[in-house]
PDB file of all heavy atoms in Angstrom:
ATOM      1  N   THR A 211     -62.874 250.786 -92.420  1.00  0.00           N
ATOM      2  CA  THR A 211     -62.265 252.096 -92.282  1.00  0.00           C
ATOM      3  C   THR A 211     -61.420 252.115 -91.001  1.00  0.00           C
ATOM      4  O   THR A 211     -61.627 251.321 -90.099  1.00  0.00           O
ATOM      5  CB  THR A 211     -63.306 253.206 -92.128  1.00  0.00           C
ATOM      6  OG1 THR A 211     -64.159 252.905 -90.985  1.00  0.00           O
ATOM      7  CG2 THR A 211     -64.169 253.293 -93.368  1.00  0.00           C
ATOM      8  N   TRP A 212     -60.449 252.952 -90.932  1.00  0.00           N
ATOM      9  CA  TRP A 212     -59.678 253.121 -89.732  1.00  0.00           C
ATOM     10  C   TRP A 212     -59.410 254.595 -89.465  1.00  0.00           C
ATOM     11  O   TRP A 212     -59.473 255.404 -90.377  1.00  0.00           O
ATOM     12  CB  TRP A 212     -58.342 252.334 -89.831  1.00  0.00           C
ATOM     13  CG  TRP A 212     -57.296 253.057 -90.481  1.00  0.00           C
ATOM     14  CD1 TRP A 212     -56.356 253.916 -89.966  1.00  0.00           C
ATOM     15  CD2 TRP A 212     -56.971 253.024 -91.880  1.00  0.00           C
ATOM     16  NE1 TRP A 212     -55.504 254.389 -90.873  1.00  0.00           N
ATOM     17  CE2 TRP A 212     -55.860 253.876 -92.089  1.00  0.00           C
ATOM     18  CE3 TRP A 212     -57.524 252.397 -92.973  1.00  0.00           C
ATOM     19  CZ2 TRP A 212     -55.279 254.106 -93.357  1.00  0.00           C
ATOM     20  CZ3 TRP A 212     -56.955 252.624 -94.230  1.00  0.00           C
ATOM     21  CH2 TRP A 212     -55.853 253.450 -94.419  1.00  0.00           C
ATOM     22  N   SER A 213     -59.123 254.879 -88.240  1.00  0.00           N
ATOM     23  CA  SER A 213     -58.792 256.237 -87.848  1.00  0.00           C
ATOM     24  C   SER A 213     -57.871 256.114 -86.635  1.00  0.00           C
ATOM     25  O   SER A 213     -58.213 255.528 -85.648  1.00  0.00           O
ATOM     26  CB  SER A 213     -60.082 256.992 -87.484  1.00  0.00           C
ATOM     27  OG  SER A 213     -59.729 258.261 -86.981  1.00  0.00           O
ATOM     28  N   ASN A 214     -56.668 256.589 -86.825  1.00  0.00           N
ATOM     29  CA  ASN A 214     -55.706 256.530 -85.690  1.00  0.00           C
ATOM     30  C   ASN A 214     -54.787 257.713 -85.753  1.00  0.00           C
ATOM     31  O   ASN A 214     -54.968 258.625 -86.563  1.00  0.00           O
ATOM     32  CB  ASN A 214     -54.951 255.225 -85.676  1.00  0.00           C
ATOM     33  CG  ASN A 214     -54.164 254.942 -86.942  1.00  0.00           C
ATOM     34  OD1 ASN A 214     -53.755 255.924 -87.609  1.00  0.00           O
ATOM     35  ND2 ASN A 214     -53.999 253.707 -87.320  1.00  0.00           N
ATOM     36  N   ALA A 215     -53.753 257.707 -84.904  1.00  0.00           N
ATOM     37  CA  ALA A 215     -52.867 258.859 -84.812  1.00  0.00           C
ATOM     38  C   ALA A 215     -52.167 259.141 -86.164  1.00  0.00           C
ATOM     39  O   ALA A 215     -51.807 260.276 -86.467  1.00  0.00           O
ATOM     40  CB  ALA A 215     -51.816 258.601 -83.746  1.00  0.00           C
ATOM     41  N   ARG A 216     -52.031 258.104 -86.987  1.00  0.00           N
ATOM     42  CA  ARG A 216     -51.296 258.331 -88.235  1.00  0.00           C
ATOM     43  C   ARG A 216     -52.246 258.678 -89.405  1.00  0.00           C
ATOM     44  O   ARG A 216     -51.801 258.839 -90.513  1.00  0.00           O
ATOM     45  CB  ARG A 216     -50.546 257.022 -88.594  1.00  0.00           C
ATOM     46  CG  ARG A 216     -49.508 256.667 -87.534  1.00  0.00           C
ATOM     47  CD  ARG A 216     -49.257 255.181 -87.536  1.00  0.00           C
ATOM     48  NE  ARG A 216     -48.054 254.849 -88.284  1.00  0.00           N
ATOM     49  CZ  ARG A 216     -47.532 253.635 -88.289  1.00  0.00           C
ATOM     50  NH1 ARG A 216     -48.133 252.648 -87.674  1.00  0.00           N
ATOM     51  NH2 ARG A 216     -46.430 253.410 -88.954  1.00  0.00           N
ATOM     52  N   GLY A 217     -53.503 258.795 -89.085  1.00  0.00           N
ATOM     53  CA  GLY A 217     -54.449 259.200 -90.154  1.00  0.00           C
ATOM     54  C   GLY A 217     -55.635 258.304 -90.218  1.00  0.00           C
ATOM     55  O   GLY A 217     -55.882 257.500 -89.301  1.00  0.00           O
ATOM     56  N   GLU A 218     -56.364 258.468 -91.277  1.00  0.00           N
ATOM     57  CA  GLU A 218     -57.534 257.581 -91.428  1.00  0.00           C
ATOM     58  C   GLU A 218     -57.702 257.163 -92.866  1.00  0.00           C
ATOM     59  O   GLU A 218     -57.075 257.755 -93.753  1.00  0.00           O
ATOM     60  CB  GLU A 218     -58.788 258.356 -90.914  1.00  0.00           C
ATOM     61  CG  GLU A 218     -59.022 259.677 -91.604  1.00  0.00           C
ATOM     62  CD  GLU A 218     -60.196 260.389 -90.942  1.00  0.00           C
ATOM     63  OE1 GLU A 218     -60.289 260.365 -89.707  1.00  0.00           O
ATOM     64  OE2 GLU A 218     -61.007 260.944 -91.692  1.00  0.00           O
TER      65      GLU A 218
END
Side-chain angles (χ1 to χ4, degrees):
Chain A
T211 57
W212 83 88
S213 175
N214 59 29
R216 298 153 99 173
E218 57 185 41

